[in-house]
Amino acid sequence: MNAEVQTTESRPARSGGRGARRALRSAPDLSMLPSLKRGLPLCEVMSGEQVERIDAASMDILEEVGVVFRDPIALEDWRRAGADVRGERVHLDRGLVRELISTIPATFTYRARNPERSLPFGGPHSIFVPMTGAPFIRDLDDVRRWPTIADLNMFHKLAHMSPALHSTAHHIVEPMDVVVSHRHLHITYSSMKHSDKTFMGMTTSPRNAEDVMDMCEVLFGRDVMEATPVVTGNCNGNSPLVWDEVMLGAMRAFCRRNQPVLCSPFVLGGANTPASVAPAVAQLNAEALSALAYTQVIRKGCPAIYGHYLSTVSMKSGAPMAGTPEISLMNFMIGQMARHYGVPWRTSNLLGGAKTFDAQAGYESAMTMNAVLHAGANYIWHSAGWNEAGMHCSTAKFVVDAEMCAMGYRMAEGPRWDDFDEALAAVRDVGPGGHYLGHPHTLQNFERAFFMPQLFDNNSIEQWQAEGSVEITERALAHARKLLNEYEEPKLDPGVDEALRDYMARRMREIPAVDALNNDH
Amino acid sequence: MNAEVQTTESRPARSGGRGARRALRSAPDLSMLPSLKRGLPLCEVMSGEQVERIDAASMDILEEVGVVFRDPIALEDWRRAGADVRGERVHLDRGLVRELISTIPATFTYRARNPERSLPFGGPHSIFVPMTGAPFIRDLDDVRRWPTIADLNMFHKLAHMSPALHSTAHHIVEPMDVVVSHRHLHITYSSMKHSDKTFMGMTTSPRNAEDVMDMCEVLFGRDVMEATPVVTGNCNGNSPLVWDEVMLGAMRAFCRRNQPVLCSPFVLGGANTPASVAPAVAQLNAEALSALAYTQVIRKGCPAIYGHYLSTVSMKSGAPMAGTPEISLMNFMIGQMARHYGVPWRTSNLLGGAKTFDAQAGYESAMTMNAVLHAGANYIWHSAGWNEAGMHCSTAKFVVDAEMCAMGYRMAEGPRWDDFDEALAAVRDVGPGGHYLGHPHTLQNFERAFFMPQLFDNNSIEQWQAEGSVEITERALAHARKLLNEYEEPKLDPGVDEALRDYMARRMREIPAVDALNNDH
């Protein structure tokens, strides 16, 4: 029984590449699934008129309230672009905003180190990307502690081996044993080295972002990067209505080299937005539009992604919550807005606020994933490991979430119809009161027809007790250990590897070893 | 902080009744929410043509393969109704099926003992009903054991106090300390006594069903029952394509007194259906249609509900699984079929296959709930407590599930727009870089704007540790104990109570005390 095999086998025609054909020949197999091509209808909770109402409210905010760009270069850029700049506050005419965002590509292909793992993106195509940014880990013994670079390497390996994860992201956990000022180099190298899937690039400072761009040039070459995105950055806004120098500088580094950033307002509903779902979306939409527009001021036609980090906050603690109904509703609405503008969009997946991997974490995570899939998000970030409101990445949760992504993927593809008539013939064969277990159609189709979770226990209580009454955390950690034992590194070209190491060595000589906090959600 | 209060307060206009107005005046409050009126778009994964394809396949099955009715009375009924009966196999012409089901009401009102708790049902209206039929309990100490009538009373009290549960159902757990042959009497009395919400009626034999009908007549009077449903039965089919004497006899008892049954094929995908999603739905649909049609042979115009118990089975154990992608897809498709026929429909909610209330249970349950809500189910059964594939009802899970229903309810209502302009004025007041926590709009709207789960912990790790590092199972059990301490019985009219007790006493004298197994999912 191997869930990945059946998942891959169910779509040999669609995936097309050599990887998929290879998957048909050998089992077990950890081949990456192709980009999800959505087969579910979109959950559109707003009428066309309501979409227009949000759009009009956001444009009013951009024109009348304006957005603060705390960055002299951005302010100068905006002046040149024809915006009404008063101090740090930029008032953006709706005509200008619409004109600027019209040049953002609706779809593109993410190029991976292994071209067979390149990914069509946007429109109906979505990709799953693991969480990033956790300052703590729950490790292979479920102990909560500060993470190291070895822990980060481990997560990059696990992401590499998870068929439904399309990316290794970047700093899944913060490697606390590496000084902050050198960290971005080691994180980027770990993503590049341990997997040949796509990955993300650090945006912790404009100069760090330039280093990421340089390392990408070493790996992919400038021509490839000019032709197609190879990496993704994230730029958080400071809601309400502020973008800061660090994020804007990093954005420029990415956009100038034709690489997309997620333009992500950081929204805590009721704290930095109005205490109401639709108005919160209107504000978030204004913030996202202002950054999306700026990407096109930086470089017209550069890919960019409508983003957000979105939560409602606990009245008790002020902390962000996960899986609440309003988060789902806002996801549905934001998806509609992004499609209204024809821009691909990012959301957050499988979020947990629980302190351990208990039932709370499960409920919250699955609530989030369903919202995201029905909302039709394209860049489905934080798809594995997120618990404790992002304060830790759980190793157990990481591998379960990765399997949940495979289940969500299957659901979001929609039903198959290719064996409909053949299977109905089986109904005639079996007839009333019979069973299908030995029927040839069943034997041929069972595995591809029904997803078999590996990490959910569906044995009887007696069997489960006989096997030691093991709950999911322990099962998941055993699975993670098994994966790591089986890991095979997809080797970098030795010349490229050496060039990357040389680059890092030079930059580490140039950059003073300084420790300080950073954050990137 | 009280989730129920805010939930109720957010819709004073819609609910209308005195209960809702009372909810506005006092807090904390456990008033039942009105029937959910769906505000989410339906997840329709099939085109109109695909719906026709399923319909045609099901009708072909009914005409050409036929359905076994293992019951002489039903066979005679079918002969008189003009069906082609060969032995026990009834071949149903599609014209006859369509004509019969056309008289099933698309909507009706469930009458509760407390008329303020009566419920519009069908079309956009849905109700949440707790699980039933568990042969084991995980109790207030999370110990797994055989349940007693006191345990069943406890669950009826908890259901009574859960605002999003619209019913107390019937045998949530099997009261093993009551002999099987008398059990239906005690179960029915417990539902009637401990809550004034709607409930379900036992269908464990035709005669037991008559007893339930008689007890309902004592409680409601024959005239009320002739005018409107007061109780719901469940009749499981034996897939593939068999209905048995017990279920059909119980169905007749309910239908003759104008009470609806759930016509529920019991489907284990790949075991008693073809190993393929769409053909499994075609078979299930044929089975449901055959029973729905028979309800109208029994009594034309009687309410009836398109039902199913639906799972895919583990290849490892043969046990039903929960939360798998195919279960979600089949729910979406069955919803479309039920709406195609204009019949309200039942599904199963918040199902878990885990042996304990661990993260597996959380993922599985939330996957199920999202599927059910996006599918637009009307009678949302098994909405609280179901774990271990229905083998036990978990007390901890029961109260968390009940809160999940409240969260799902809020999501499925869709976003509110009534304060849109007012909240946007707050954006202007606060401006870039400000915060909303002290703004008058926030203070007035926060509680009703954002759902605050009571049973999810969103404190910091430090606060959580200071409070004893309590995981959700322990928190939920403490909450259940608190609810039970606060429980106030909604007293039966003393004369009615005496009449019910007299009825039970007489029937217990008449029915030999016999123990045997029964099942009802």
Side-chain angles (χ1 to χ4, degrees), chain B residues 48-317:
Chain B
E49 195 187 333
Q50 287 168 328
V51 169
E52 298 289 350
R53 198 169 174 198
I54 296 278
D55 174 72
S58 300
M59 294 300 185
D60 287 347
I61 291 170
L62 291 173
E63 289 181 352
E64 295 164 26
V65 182
V67 178
V68 166
F69 283 76
R70 288 197 181 127
D71 176 52
I73 299 171
L75 292 171
E76 186 50 41
D77 286 344
W78 274 124
R79 264 184 219 105
R80 276 202 314 274
D84 172 14
V85 180
R86 309 176 202 165
E88 288 188 319
R89 205 180 289 205
V90 179
H91 295 260
L92 293 169
D93 178 80
R94 65 190 69 203
L96 177 61
V97 172
R98 291 199 206 287
E99 187 195 323
L100 285 169
I101 64 170
S102 70
T103 50
I104 298 172
T107 62
F108 56 82
T109 297
Y110 268 114
R111 168 72 180 260
R113 167 150 80 86
N114 176 351
E116 289 185 5
R117 298 190 160 198
S118 293
L119 297 159
F121 178 78
H125 287 110
S126 305
I127 64 173
F128 294 96
V129 182
M131 82 160 287
T132 65
F136 292 91
I137 181 178
R138 274 194 183 271
D139 65 15
L140 282 164
D141 298 311
D142 204 34
V143 172
R144 186 182 182 279
R145 61 172 172 77
W146 276 11
T148 64
I149 189 73
D151 295 319
L152 179 61
N153 297 343
M154 175 190 78
F155 282 119
H156 285 155
K157 293 174 187 174
L158 291 174
H160 178 69
M161 298 179 81
S162 301
L165 296 182
H166 295 104
S167 165
T168 56
H170 44 352
H171 57 145
I172 294 175
V173 288
E174 280 293 324
M176 298 292 195
D177 52 345
V178 178
V179 291
V180 167
S181 61
H182 296 171
R183 208 174 273 173
H184 64 291
L185 301 167
H186 294 268
I187 291 166
T188 306
Y189 180 72
S190 179
S191 296
M192 290 175 165
K193 175 182 166 69
H194 294 105
S195 177
D196 54 7
K197 295 183 180 180
T198 57
F199 55 89
M200 296 183 76
M202 301 296 288
T203 50
T204 36
S205 80
R207 189 63 191 87
N208 290 355
E210 293 289 353
D211 282 336
V212 173
M213 292 297 102
D214 288 346
M215 289 176 76
C216 286
E217 275 197 14
V218 172
L219 182 58
F220 293 100
R222 179 165 294 200
D223 290 350
V224 166
M225 290 174 72
E226 280 296 309
T228 188
V230 302
V231 67
T232 311
N234 181 57
C235 295
N236 280 131
N238 301 333
S239 300
L241 299 166
V242 177
W243 294 93
D244 72 24
E245 195 164 9
V246 168
M247 293 285 98
L248 293 166
M251 189 183 289
R252 283 190 293 271
F254 273 68
C255 293
R256 283 178 187 147
R257 308 228 208 163
N258 202 38
Q259 302 306 307
V261 291
L262 315 173
C263 298
S264 302
F266 191 98
V267 161
L268 302 170
N272 60 19
T273 73
S276 187
V277 164
V281 170
Q283 179 191 306
L284 183 158
N285 187 53
E287 294 165 346
L289 287 174
S290 68
L292 288 166
Y294 184 55
T295 65
Q296 304 304 298
V297 172
I298 301 167
R299 178 171 168 161
K300 193 171 175 171
C302 168
I305 298 172
Y306 186 128
H308 67 83
Y309 173 82
L310 167 64
S311 186
T312 59
V313 296
S314 164
M315 269 183 78
K316 206 165 151 194
S317 65

Side-chain angles (χ1 to χ4, degrees), chain A residues 1 40-41 43-46 50 53-54 57 60-61 64-66 68 89 144 240-242 269-276 278-279 282-283 312-317 319-321 323-326 328-330 332-333 350 353 355-360 362-367 369-370 374 388 397 400-401 404 407 410-411 414-417 419-421 423-424 427-428 431-437 441-442 445-447 449-453 456-459 461 464 471-472 475, chain B residues 1 40-41 43-46 50 53-54 57 60-61 64-66 68 89 144 240-242 269-276 278-279 282-283 312-317 319-321 323-326 328-329 332-333 350 353 355-360 362-367 369-370 374 388 397 400-401 404 407 410-411 414-417 419-421 423-424 427-428 431-437 441-442 445-447 449-453 456-459 461 464 471-472 475:
Chain A
M1 175 68 27
L40 285 189
C43 182
E44 307 218 306
V45 293
M46 293 191 285
Q50 287 168 329
R53 200 170 172 196
I54 295 278
D60 287 347
I61 291 170
E64 296 164 25
V65 181
V68 166
R89 206 181 287 206
R144 187 183 183 278
L241 299 166
V242 177
N272 61 19
T273 73
S276 188
Q283 178 190 304
T312 59
V313 296
S314 165
M315 271 183 77
K316 207 165 151 195
S317 65
M321 304 192 291
T324 65
E326 293 79 19
S328 298
L329 291 171
M330 287 193 257
F332 302 145
M333 296 167 81
L350 285 158
K355 262 48 78 184
T356 64
F357 191 38
D358 67 357
Q360 175 181 338
Y363 282 105
E364 292 172 322
S365 299
M367 288 301 296
M369 186 175 82
N370 279 277
H374 286 285
E388 198 195 328
K397 188 170 187 290
V400 176
D401 284 347
M404 288 300 295
M407 292 175 71
R410 179 75 74 95
M411 178 182 82
R416 295 167 41 238
W417 290 84
D419 66 342
F420 190 71
D421 293 327
L424 286 170
V427 177
R428 286 172 165 73
H435 73 78
Y436 290 78
L437 293 173
H441 177 271
T442 309
N445 290 278
F446 193 93
E447 279 199 60
F450 301 120
F451 194 98
M452 294 290 141
F456 288 176
D457 183 287
N458 285 296
N459 287 334
I461 186 96
W464 179 76
E471 290 189 331
I472 193 167
R475 290 198 302 273
Chain B
M1 175 70 26
L40 285 189
C43 182
E44 307 217 306
V45 293
M46 292 190 287
Q50 287 168 328
R53 198 169 174 198
I54 296 278
D60 287 347
I61 291 170
E64 295 164 26
V65 182
V68 166
R89 205 180 289 205
R144 186 182 182 279
L241 299 166
V242 177
N272 60 19
T273 73
S276 187
Q283 179 191 306
T312 59
V313 296
S314 164
M315 269 183 78
K316 206 165 151 194
S317 65
M321 303 191 292
T324 65
E326 293 79 18
S328 298
L329 291 172
F332 302 145
M333 296 168 80
L350 284 158
K355 262 47 78 183
T356 63
F357 191 37
D358 67 357
Q360 175 181 338
Y363 283 105
E364 292 171 323
S365 300
M367 289 301 296
M369 187 176 80
N370 279 277
H374 286 283
E388 198 195 327
K397 188 170 188 290
V400 176
D401 284 347
M404 288 300 295
M407 292 174 72
R410 179 77 74 94
M411 178 182 82
R416 294 166 42 237
W417 291 84
D419 66 342
F420 189 70
D421 294 327
L424 286 171
V427 178
R428 285 170 166 73
H435 72 78
Y436 290 79
L437 294 172
H441 177 271
T442 308
N445 290 278
F446 193 94
E447 280 201 60
F450 300 121
F451 193 98
M452 294 291 141
F456 288 177
D457 183 286
N458 285 295
N459 288 333
I461 187 94
W464 179 76
E471 289 189 330
I472 193 167
R475 290 199 302 275

